[in-house]
Amino acid sequence: MAKVLIFIEHAHGKLPKTSLVAIAAGLEIAKKQGLDTAAVVLGKGVDAVAAEAAAHGVGKVIAIDDAKLEHCVADLYAKAVAGCAKQLGSTWVVGAATAAGKDFFPRVAQLLDAGMASDITGLNDDGSIVRPTYAGNVMSTVSIETPVKVVTVRGTAFDPAPKAASAAAVEKAALPADATGRMRFVSFNETKSDRPALTDAAIVVSGGRGLKSGENFTTVLEPLVDVLGAAMGASRAAVDAGFVPNDLQVGQTGKVVAPQLYVAVGISGAIQHLAGMKDSKVIVAINKDGDAPIFNVSDYGLVADLFKAVPEMADEVKKIKAH
Amino acid sequence: MKILVPIKRVPDPQTNIAVKPDGSGIVTDNVKFVINPFCEIALEEALRVKEQQGGAEVVLVSIGPKVTQEQLRTGLAMGADRAMLVVAEEELDPATAATVLKKIVEAESPDLVLAGKQSIDDDANQVGQILASSLDWPQATFASKVEFSADKKEVTVTREVDGGLEQVAFALPGIVTTDLRLNEPRYASLPGIMKARKKELKEVPLADYGVAGAAKVKTHKMAPPPKRSAGRKVETVQELVGLLHTEAKLI
Ligand SMILES: Cc1cc2nc3c(=O)[nH]c(=O)nc-3n(C[C@H](O)[C@H](O)[C@H](O)COP(=O)(O)OP(=O)(O)OC[C@H]3O[C@@H](n4cnc5c(N)ncnc54)[C@H](O)[C@@H]3O)c2cc1C
Ligand SMILES: Nc1ncnc2c1ncn2[C@@H]1O[C@H](COP(=O)(O)O)[C@@H](O)[C@H]1O
């Protein structure tokens, strides 16, 4: 038995922060409802990630190691996770609200005849759930009415589950025979970067249309990003214009981040952008327009031309770090 | 080829959303409603497929209040062939909307369903995937490029995922949900608006679908988010970095 089943996403043999946040949310549900937990890891060659998942406080880990699961193909992954939930008699299935979670978790819910709440940020004692709607303009309290409940968890809403005193057991399982899929993985063009991932980073520096070109991202913004050891983000306008890759988009329909420090450069602060960063601990805005809405949420606002201010800022940070 | 495009009526993304004092919903007075932007992208893609392939039919469907006629007429003016409105005054949860759409798919037998990835009101990002699963159809969510094989039986979709771009392929029928970079939707032209008046817009009551009381998720309360207040303006970069160092202790 394991009433709360937590799906563990991994990349490059490691668990991203979002998976540890999903574990934390799963553990909290289990504690509130008096249930036990299990984690499920899918993929090809998953021993190391299964062991890592086992170290973070779950009751046990189910690992399904199968060449067919090398890539996260929605129909197959959904069948594997739903099959696992059925076998364990799970009443809650928890995942991270990442691109993969958003993609296949609704299928898990459908296969389990379960209601699903996406991108949740809070769990109430009465079992109801809080999730942002309307680009974060509204916090909705919802209840899932079905015996089995499926949720994806916003990566900024819970502290990542710490390592537990002892590691859980890892059980190997096979992909159910009826788990066949009609989708074919073709290719993955990964954006190569040595910087921290946006959703893992303690500091995020984002650029907007004000940067004016992809080249300026490289020559003006990146030196600041790197001296801060930050991840780089962007507004939709910067992504749409082709300045930077799409997976850097922060916002309602991109990634949600809440780092210790968020620096918005040449970003006006549209509600859709704020939806992805307004829970950051400290927000800095650099914008030449003193009336830009980004200043309504920033702790420190600098009205300046970014082409002058950003290189200066990189120099100042360098000086302090040299001390 | 027949393409079904489910569209949702939502508040204009540019409007300010306020929660009613009693927490029962959002204030809708003086709020402009539009086609959900992701659905508009789906419709644009369907129209481009039709233009490229010739002979395709683009069918719009929406579940929503009677006034959703406005958005469907706009979609017809953009170039869709006909439209269907399932009249529901109440907001449905994603699973119920997908159940209604499933019945429509079974009746219409489209080759492709092109939906939005997310409606910008409930931000659920679920309906296309639930629909696909309930039909045991393949899916490609978050599409930034859709390409058909020469025989039009297979589709290859480029998807915006964490860390890069992924390509998946499947044989039709299937479901594609759109991301922002797929295309830029056209505006309805004046002749398009004239033509749209004569196109079919069929209305069906929700009761015909037998989904009363089927909600799997219920919304109980809406509240405004905690407000973040503006901090201070600084005069110079030196002051900014100094404060980040000494006050915020982040550098
Ligand atoms: C369905 C939908 C979904 C969306 N999802 C997202 C999302 O997830 N994320 C997102 O970010 N947006 C999203 N948007 C878009 C959003 O509404 C805004 O259009 C977008 O955030 C604007 O990006 P920006 O601030 O870079 O550009 P702009 O609004 O054009 O702002 C550019 C800013 O740069 C400043 N600037 C210009 N030059 C300089 C200079 N030399 N020095 C200093 N400052 C300068 C200007 O004063 C201005 O404030 C979405 C929109 C829709 C309709
Ligand atoms: N009431 C509805 N009527 C028609 N289509 C809908 C409805 N709700 C959702 N959809 C479709 O499903 C997509 C995703 O919506 P959601 O899962 O609510 O975020 C939308 O972009 C539409 O294409």
Side-chain angles (χ1 to χ4, degrees):
Chain A
M1 261 212 348
K3 293 292 183 184
V4 179
L5 181 64
I6 306 157
F7 170 71
I8 307 293
E9 191 178 341
H10 51 91
H12 305 297
K14 291 205 186 75
L15 304 193
K17 181 178 156 209
T18 44
S19 291
L20 299 179
V21 169
I23 294 177
L27 292 174
E28 190 172 326
I29 292 169
K31 192 164 142 212
K32 284 204 156 105
Q33 316 266 326
L35 304 170
D36 55 350
T37 59
V40 56
V41 181
L42 308 180
K44 186 182 145 199
V46 293
D47 288 350
V49 274
E52 196 185 340
H56 288 270
V58 296
K60 65 172 170 184
V61 175
I62 317 283
I64 308 184
D65 208 323
D66 194 308
K68 281 194 254 165
L69 297 172
E70 184 175 0
H71 304 286
C72 181
V73 175
D75 53 2
L76 207 52
Y77 263 57
K79 283 175 184 170
V81 172
C84 194
K86 276 184 190 155
Q87 206 162 30
L88 296 167
S90 306
T91 51
W92 287 82
V93 185
V94 181
T98 55
K102 289 173 181 171
D103 179 44
F104 84 89
F105 255 61
R107 292 186 82 114
V108 174
Q110 194 279 331
L111 292 169
L112 297 171
D113 203 17
M116 168 168 165
S118 318
D119 214 7
I120 70 166
T121 56
L123 297 157
N124 295 324
D125 290 336
D126 64 359
S128 65
I129 287 165
V130 181
R131 56 181 300 269
T133 53
Y134 293 89
N137 280 309
V138 178
M139 301 306 286
S140 292
T141 301
V142 304
S143 63
I144 303 178
E145 303 283 319
T146 46
V148 181
K149 302 172 199 334
V150 174
V151 296
T152 54
V153 181
R154 178 167 283 203
T156 56
F158 299 82
D159 291 328
K163 279 219 162 93
S166 61
V170 177
E171 290 174 17
K172 298 245 168 177
L175 189 62
D178 63 343
T180 52
R182 288 178 45 200
M183 298 167 53
R184 185 162 55 83
F185 170 85
V186 178
S187 63
F188 180 44
N189 305 338
E190 192 168 10
T191 315
K192 295 265 186 299
S193 168
D194 297 330
R195 299 198 180 92
L198 250 182
T199 44
D200 287 357
I203 302 181
V204 173
V205 178
S206 289
R209 202 196 314 261
L211 263 298
K212 295 198 171 62
S213 72
E215 199 191 324
N216 290 336
F217 263 84
T218 312
T219 57
V220 181
L221 201 64
E222 287 189 14
L224 177 62
V225 173
D226 289 336
V227 69
L228 287 169
M232 192 161 79
S235 70
R236 174 192 172 180
V239 176
D240 281 5
F243 300 167
V244 287
N246 59 275
D247 69 317
L248 297 191
Q249 182 181 314
V250 170
Q252 178 194 16
T253 61
K255 289 200 170 75
V256 178
V257 300
Q260 294 294 309
L261 173 62
Y262 187 90
V263 184
V265 177
I267 292 177
S268 61
I271 187 73
Q272 291 85 6
H273 188 79
L274 302 185
M277 44 66 77
K278 70 178 156 81
D279 292 329
S280 304
K281 190 146 172 283
V282 171
I283 297 174
V284 168
I286 301 176
N287 196 304
K288 70 177 179 191
D289 171 10
D291 294 327
I294 191 74
F295 289 121
N296 298 333
V297 299
S298 62
D299 300 281
Y300 305 111
L302 177 65
V303 181
D305 185 339
L306 72 89
F307 293 103
K308 195 167 159 286
V310 172
E312 256 181 65
M313 185 171 172
D315 284 344
E316 284 298 312
V317 175
K318 240 179 254 161
K319 276 190 216 158
I320 286 181
K321 293 221 166 172
H323 275 232
Chain B
M1 178 170 306
K2 191 196 264 191
I3 306 175
L4 191 74
V5 182
I7 68 172
K8 190 172 184 192
R9 172 187 163 92
V10 299
D12 186 310
Q14 308 301 332
T15 54
N16 289 322
I17 299 294
V19 180
K20 283 186 195 159
D22 68 357
S24 64
I26 61 154
V27 177
T28 51
D29 303 340
N30 301 319
V31 171
K32 188 181 155 205
F33 280 80
V34 296
I35 300 175
N36 180 42
F38 289 99
C39 303
E40 216 176 10
I41 294 169
L43 172 55
E44 175 64 34
E45 195 64 18
L47 296 174
R48 289 187 189 186
V49 173
K50 179 181 165 163
E51 284 155 7
Q52 278 152 21
Q53 301 196 346
E57 186 187 20
V58 176
V59 183
L60 293 177
V61 48
S62 188
I63 310 157
K66 211 171 156 69
V67 280
T68 308
Q69 285 171 344
E70 296 167 6
Q71 282 68 44
L72 289 169
R73 282 282 170 226
T74 303
L76 292 169
M78 283 170 69
D81 296 292
R82 60 188 168 88
M84 180 177 170
L85 173 59
V86 178
V87 183
E89 294 303 326
E90 295 277 293
E91 170 89 21
L92 304 185
D93 71 315
T96 311
T99 303
V100 173
L101 291 175
K102 179 181 185 231
K103 291 184 177 177
I104 294 167
V105 167
E106 282 164 352
E108 292 276 350
S109 309
D111 303 284
L112 179 66
V113 176
L114 260 167
K117 82 162 176 183
Q118 170 177 351
S119 28
I120 60 159
D121 52 359
D122 68 12
D123 282 333
N125 201 327
Q126 292 187 22
V127 170
Q129 297 91 313
I130 297 174
L131 176 60
S133 181
S134 67
L135 294 157
D136 200 16
W137 278 13
Q139 74 183 36
T141 52
F142 323 148
S144 63
K145 194 171 188 186
V146 179
E147 296 160 291
F148 291 86
S149 61
D151 65 3
K152 298 174 196 152
K153 292 208 166 100
E154 210 188 66
V155 66
T156 302
V157 180
T158 304
R159 308 179 52 232
E160 294 195 359
V161 297
D162 294 340
L165 293 171
E166 184 192 79
Q167 286 191 309
V168 294
F170 53 77
L172 297 173
I175 293 188
V176 172
T177 78
T178 58
D179 217 317
L180 295 167
R181 261 67 63 179
L182 182 58
N183 61 47
E184 228 176 280
R186 71 193 65 189
Y187 292 99
S189 65
L190 201 57
I193 295 169
M194 301 304 286
K195 268 197 226 155
R197 293 190 184 148
K198 291 192 211 91
K199 289 180 180 170
E200 177 185 304
L201 196 173
K202 191 167 87 179
E203 284 183 29
V204 191
L206 181 68
D208 285 10
Y209 290 89
V211 291
K216 291 188 161 117
V217 177
K218 286 188 179 153
T219 299
H220 299 283
K221 199 181 81 185
M222 290 187 179
K227 229 183 142 53
R228 185 169 187 130
S229 47
R232 58 164 126 159
K233 291 248 171 79
V234 295
E235 296 300 325
T236 64
V237 169
Q238 285 71 16
E239 189 188 349
L240 171 64
V241 175
L243 285 166
L244 288 175
H245 181 52
T246 55
E247 189 178 85
K249 303 207 181 338
L250 290 166
I251 296 176

